[in-house]
Amino acid sequence: VQLQASGGGLVQAGGSLRLSCAAAGLTFSGYTTGWFRQAPGEEREFVAAIRPNGGTTYYADSVKGRFAVSRDNAKNTVYLQMNSLKPEDTAVYYCAAGRAIVSTLATIRGYNHWGQGTEVTVSS
């Protein structure tokens, strides 16, 4: 299984970016897919997740209303649309897939497949 995250870059505060996560050897529609981020010197933290089947979405309070996670089953790709970006959103963003349930989808242990990360830098 390989997850490939892409779409990071440098953007000014208030701007937008869309991250993509493509999978090989795994079908996203059968897994909970999460986005996490890790800033320098910080622990990896939950950002958003989308459940399989119905596709219910979940967000960290810090990104609620600004970020949106979605899934394109035909392309087997999960997206993270990030709007109104702030300097504090600067981090390496990781996508992950696993059998996480509602009580574990915001935790690292809920996922056993991880992408390599894509860097997002938001300038003030």
Side-chain angles (χ1 to χ4, degrees), residues 9 11 16 23 26 37 48 51 55 63 66 77-78 80-81 95 104 108 110-111 114 120-122:
V11 63
S16 298
L26 175 151
R37 66 187 181 188
R51 293 274 284 143
V63 307
R66 301 188 298 123
T77 300
V78 173
L80 183 68
Q81 178 67 44
C95 60
T104 62
I108 292 174
Y111 304 86
W114 290 83
V120 172
T121 303
V122 184

Side-chain angles (χ1 to χ4, degrees), residues 88-122:
E88 51 263 45
D89 295 318
T90 294
V92 177
Y93 283 71
Y94 299 88
C95 60
R99 301 296 188 183
I101 57 177
V102 173
S103 61
T104 62
L105 57 79
T107 68
I108 292 174
R109 64 185 174 89
Y111 304 86
N112 53 341
H113 303 290
W114 290 83
Q116 84 292 356
T118 185
E119 189 167 5
V120 172
T121 303
V122 184

Side-chain angles (χ1 to χ4, degrees), residues 18-96:
R18 188 177 78 159
L19 306 184
S20 300
C21 181
L26 175 151
T27 302
F28 277 134
S29 61
Y31 290 80
T32 296
T33 306
W35 286 96
F36 289 75
R37 66 187 181 188
Q38 187 166 17
E42 302 290 332
E43 293 186 351
R44 194 169 297 189
E45 65 174 6
F46 170 75
V47 175
I50 184 166
R51 293 274 284 143
N53 303 324
T56 304
T57 56
Y58 300 82
Y59 299 94
D61 288 343
S62 59
V63 307
K64 204 170 292 183
R66 301 188 298 123
F67 290 13
V69 58
S70 61
R71 183 176 63 228
D72 185 329
N73 291 336
K75 295 183 178 179
N76 199 30
T77 300
V78 173
Y79 303 98
L80 183 68
Q81 178 67 44
M82 305 187 296
N83 299 325
S84 302
L85 283 162
K86 304 175 181 179
E88 51 263 45
D89 295 318
T90 294
V92 177
Y93 283 71
Y94 299 88
C95 60

